Amino acid sequence: MAGQQQAAVETDQSAQIVEILGEIADRSRKLIEDFVARQGDLENLGNGHTPLGGTFMEMLSRVMSQPHELVQAQFGLWQDYMRLWQSTAQRMLGAESEPVIVPDRGDRRFKDAAWHDNALFDFIKQSYLLSSKYFLQVASQKDGLNDKTQQKLEFYTRQFVEMMAPSNFVATNPEVLRLTIESRGENLLRGLKNMLEDLERGKGRLAIKMTDLEAFEIGRNIATSQGKVVFQTDLMQLIQYSPSTPEAHRRPLMIVPPWINKFYILDLQPKNSFIKFCVDQGFTTFVLSWVNPDEKLSHMSFEDYMLQGPLAALDAIQQATGEKEITAIGYCLGGTLLASTLSWMKQKRDNRIKSATFFTTLVDFSDPGELGVFIDEEQLAAIERSMAKRGYLDGAEMATTFNMLRANDLIWSFVINNYLMGKDPFPFDLLYWNSDSTRMPAAMHSFYLRRCYHENALVQPGAVRLNGVDIDLRRIELPVYWVSTREDHIAPWKSTYAATQLYRGPRRFVLAGSGHIAGVVNPPASGKYGYWTNDELAADPEAWLAGAVHHEGSWWHDWASWNAAHAGEMVPARQPGEGKLTVLEDAPGSYVRTRAA
């Protein structure tokens, strides 16, 4: 009887596998048919020239001219491997042995116990780490290469090293291998199904799903702070948030987020919403919600973003509240725009902005970090050709660039979870936002990449002209507060610190823990990361850090106290729509709901 039941279970499992395979075959056929139908749009795929080949040819030429360095590195690798073989042999014979190399403390790829407990997988792990160390060491030799080429070489070598990690393959990942045996391969079938769904969603491009995309809905359980859209231009909607206190500071707060991503990174959920925090602190809060542009807005320039963004918002805020003076925040690219606007306003003798805060903002792009890998004349020309065809840069391309900066966390961990383990990703508000990419208008993005990143023109007095005014950041004179983050891969903190030597007026620089997003979206209740302060703004950022004081927890209350000192006395709180502007729609508005794909 038991045998018959077991046979029935196995028959049922076989039928399920056949059903899954049939579904996969059908999806594959449809995918291939769709791919073939789109060949006209993909005729140039793979024909573009990549600068990577030239980079590695330069490295090869350097190595061949200095063979002793290569021999020395190879000899070091050989010695390490001999020690590894000896250590592994000792473990096989039952003796204790110390590892030759161990993963970095924060490396989560090797957290499964088998990577240490099983001698074979321990050998695979250490072998990979030794080889990685060797490749990265060879790539880091600086003799004979210019800084730009050296940076590319190190970046792409690291990408290759991370791609080849044994954790990324079924046969060399003990956790995946164990699950494959236990489930008789069902995890791989589910993984293939997940991959096909990602390919379908990406229309032939692998759009790795990082979170449950059905778990969140803008305005329902994400971006839920109460408010109204009270004004809009072709480029942005202005949201005024409803007060939560009977009184508010006289001067409203205007937040200028980046348009590379959507504004609701600052309003994910009530527990981690910086916007809600601002409202609760008694600031009448306005936020610019940028449009997700299509080809009809391809002509929109950086100058247009200034005119239809913060400058238009200033006029609208005055109509909504009756207040001419405000305080302002700019985040990332929004901060770059705010700094440009402040310089423009200074020369127009417009002093409506009484204090400015910059979150992880670059204005001096002389050292943009690893993003500089993607910026040179050859790559810019290729990007501009692509944008000229469509009128914009596709949001997925921008997202891929940012994900590559943290490939282990934002690419390979999901490859393992979704495709090898066959699991669905967990619901996570931040990763939902990260997947909600935006497009970039061709004219604006070309200016931003060329004039800011490639030429570093913004920091050069008079090199950039916006709406008839030569921009000179040195003329900015008002109280300024900076928040940069110590592990920022997008806006390196030492590069953002350069602005402290440009502006005049009272200045406070705060260095938060963590990275570009988590270091900013760090509510006090989380108790995470901490931050550093130092009132002496030395020219050298390392000297500033050496003398800085560390504080536990979030910097939010530190900033709130600072901003309150510049926001004026308390007045009765103002409701959206009670001024001269009529309500257009409920927050978070319609612009933010438009998806890039």
Side-chain angles (χ1 to χ4, degrees):
M1 185 68 178
Q4 291 177 340
Q5 290 178 340
Q6 178 66 28
V9 169
E10 292 180 354
T11 300
D12 184 56
Q13 290 176 339
S14 299
Q16 291 178 6
I17 292 174
V18 169
E19 182 180 353
I20 293 172
L21 286 172
E23 182 181 349
I24 291 173
D26 187 53
R27 284 177 175 268
S28 300
R29 178 182 57 78
K30 291 178 180 178
L31 182 64
I32 293 170
E33 289 174 353
D34 183 54
F35 182 83
V36 171
R38 295 197 311 273
Q39 283 303 295
D41 296 330
L42 301 173
E43 60 183 359
N44 294 319
L45 186 64
N47 294 332
H49 177 70
T50 171
L52 191 56
T55 299
F56 279 99
M57 286 303 294
E58 287 191 48
M59 182 195 74
L60 180 61
S61 176
R62 183 200 66 194
V63 168
M64 294 303 292
S65 67
Q66 297 175 331
H68 61 281
E69 291 186 1
L70 181 61
V71 170
Q72 186 176 15
Q74 288 178 330
F75 182 71
L77 178 64
W78 178 78
Q79 285 184 311
D80 286 339
Y81 262 111
M82 290 301 295
R83 290 169 55 208
L84 177 57
W85 276 109
Q86 184 179 14
S87 172
T88 302
Q90 287 177 334
R91 286 198 63 180
M92 293 291 190
L93 294 173
E96 294 291 329
S97 63
E98 291 294 321
V100 177
I101 189 170
V102 295
D104 291 337
R105 187 172 182 179
D107 193 339
R108 294 180 291 179
R109 295 173 296 178
F110 304 106
K111 62 182 181 180
D112 189 88
W115 288 112
H116 176 267
D117 297 341
N118 184 291
L120 174 60
F121 284 112
D122 184 45
F123 173 81
I124 292 172
K125 174 191 69 180
Q126 292 193 60
S127 177
Y128 164 74
L129 292 174
L130 288 174
S131 298
S132 300
K133 178 183 174 183
Y134 167 75
F135 281 119
L136 293 172
Q137 178 184 345
V138 171
S140 67
Q141 300 296 325
K142 298 183 182 299
D143 296 339
L145 296 183
N146 62 55
D147 290 342
K148 192 77 172 180
T149 302
Q150 181 67 43
Q151 185 184 39
K152 284 185 190 178
L153 178 62
E154 292 182 21
F155 178 81
Y156 285 111
T157 300
R158 195 181 78 239
Q159 294 294 313
F160 171 76
V161 163
E162 291 177 355
M163 177 181 67
M164 296 306 295
S167 53
N168 296 337
F169 302 92
V170 176
T172 52
N173 184 322
E175 190 175 7
V176 173
L177 190 58
R178 188 165 58 243
L179 180 60
T180 302
I181 294 171
E182 291 173 354
S183 70
R184 300 178 64 183
E186 286 190 34
N187 59 305
L188 299 180
L189 293 174
R190 291 193 301 268
L192 182 55
K193 181 181 176 183
N194 289 342
M195 179 182 289
L196 288 171
E197 289 176 350
D198 288 349
L199 282 167
E200 288 177 338
R201 190 176 67 259
K203 299 178 181 179
R205 175 188 57 83
L206 188 61
I208 300 175
K209 187 163 69 171
M210 297 183 176
T211 186
D212 182 353
L213 298 176
E214 305 300 322
F216 299 99
E217 181 183 347
I218 294 174
R220 180 178 63 84
N221 60 354
I222 198 168
T224 59
S225 290
Q226 296 299 303
K228 306 291 183 182
V229 175
V230 295
F231 176 77
Q232 70 182 40
T233 67
D234 289 340
L235 289 177
M236 68 89 179
Q237 289 187 319
L238 184 66
I239 302 171
Q240 179 181 355
Y241 287 93
S242 301
S244 62
T245 56
E247 292 186 318
H249 290 276
R250 179 173 60 82
R251 290 174 180 161
L253 170 66
M254 177 181 72
I255 301 178
V256 185
W259 54 94
I260 287 177
N261 302 104
K262 295 184 177 180
F263 84 89
Y264 67 87
I265 185 59
L266 298 175
D267 188 34
L268 292 171
Q269 298 187 68
K271 64 181 180 181
N272 57 1
S273 171
F274 181 76
I275 288 172
K276 181 181 184 300
F277 174 81
C278 291
V279 172
D280 291 344
Q281 299 303 304
F283 300 127
T284 303
T285 304
F286 290 81
V287 173
L288 280 64
S289 173
W290 299 103
V291 74
N292 197 347
D294 57 19
E295 65 278 359
K296 294 192 287 287
L297 297 177
S298 64
H299 62 286
M300 288 294 181
S301 64
F302 193 84
E303 178 181 287
D304 291 320
Y305 272 80
M306 179 183 74
L307 296 172
Q308 294 194 38
L311 289 177
L314 280 168
D315 295 336
I317 290 171
Q318 184 174 354
Q319 288 183 285
T321 64
E323 295 294 337
K324 183 178 180 180
E325 299 174 346
I326 71 160
T327 64
I329 295 175
Y331 190 174
C332 189
L333 175 53
T336 307
L337 179 65
L338 177 60
S340 303
T341 304
L342 287 170
S343 175
W344 186 92
M345 293 174 68
K346 179 67 176 180
Q347 298 191 60
K348 289 290 186 177
R349 298 183 179 178
D350 183 344
N351 62 353
R352 287 178 287 174
I353 298 179
K354 292 303 181 182
S355 71
T357 298
F358 296 97
F359 294 169
T360 62
T361 295
L362 284 171
V363 292
D364 185 337
F365 291 79
S366 56
D367 183 12
E370 290 189 328
L371 275 177
V373 167
F374 303 97
I375 310 295
D376 57 32
E377 185 58 43
E378 193 172 16
Q379 293 180 91
L380 285 177
I383 292 171
E384 288 171 340
R385 286 194 300 269
S386 175
M387 290 194 298
K389 292 180 181 179
R390 293 177 295 195
Y392 56 83
L393 180 73
D394 187 79
E397 296 174 19
M398 179 71 71
T400 298
T401 297
F402 288 135
N403 290 345
M404 287 178 68
L405 300 181
R406 292 178 53 209
N408 277 337
D409 293 332
L410 296 178
I411 297 177
W412 298 114
S413 66
F414 293 101
V415 167
I416 295 168
N417 182 80
N418 300 6
Y419 305 153
L420 301 187
M421 304 291 287
K423 297 179 180 179
D424 293 324
F426 293 106
F428 189 12
D429 54 5
L430 195 152
L431 289 177
Y432 178 86
W433 166 85
N434 191 56
S435 301
D436 193 6
S437 59
T438 56
R439 297 177 285 259
M440 298 289 106
M444 183 287 303
H445 202 57
S446 179
F447 172 93
Y448 182 49
L449 294 181
R450 278 195 175 277
R451 303 292 280 140
C452 294
Y453 273 95
H454 191 45
E455 300 171 11
N456 195 24
L458 187 59
V459 79
Q460 302 169 31
V464 169
R465 189 174 179 84
L466 297 176
N467 195 37
V469 172
D470 292 333
I471 300 303
D472 185 353
L473 300 182
R474 300 174 306 172
R475 299 187 63 181
I476 295 175
E477 186 173 0
L478 79 171
V480 174
Y481 187 108
W482 287 270
V483 179
S484 296
T485 56
R486 195 166 185 177
E487 300 170 21
D488 199 328
H489 293 78
I490 296 172
W493 81 267
K494 294 178 187 177
S495 299
T496 66
Y497 183 86
T500 65
Q501 309 302 302
L502 289 173
Y503 309 154
R504 293 177 289 171
R507 296 160 295 160
R508 182 170 179 78
F509 186 88
V510 172
L511 181 63
S514 195
H516 193 75
I517 301 301
V520 172
V521 185
N522 182 31
S526 71
K528 290 182 179 180
Y529 308 134
Y531 61 98
W532 290 261
T533 60
N534 184 352
D535 293 335
E536 297 297 324
L537 297 179
D540 179 11
E542 285 289 0
W544 177 90
L545 183 59
V549 177
H550 181 262
H551 309 268
E552 296 294 336
S554 173
W555 53 267
W556 284 16
H557 280 297
D558 182 84
W559 168 83
S561 297
W562 179 91
N563 194 64
H566 302 287
E569 69 278 10
M570 304 301 286
V571 299
R574 292 154 287 209
Q575 295 288 341
E578 68 180 12
K580 295 181 180 180
L581 296 180
T582 58
V583 170
L584 302 180
E585 59 180 308
D586 290 337
S590 54
Y591 280 16
V592 74
R593 299 178 192 274
T594 303
R595 296 189 68 89

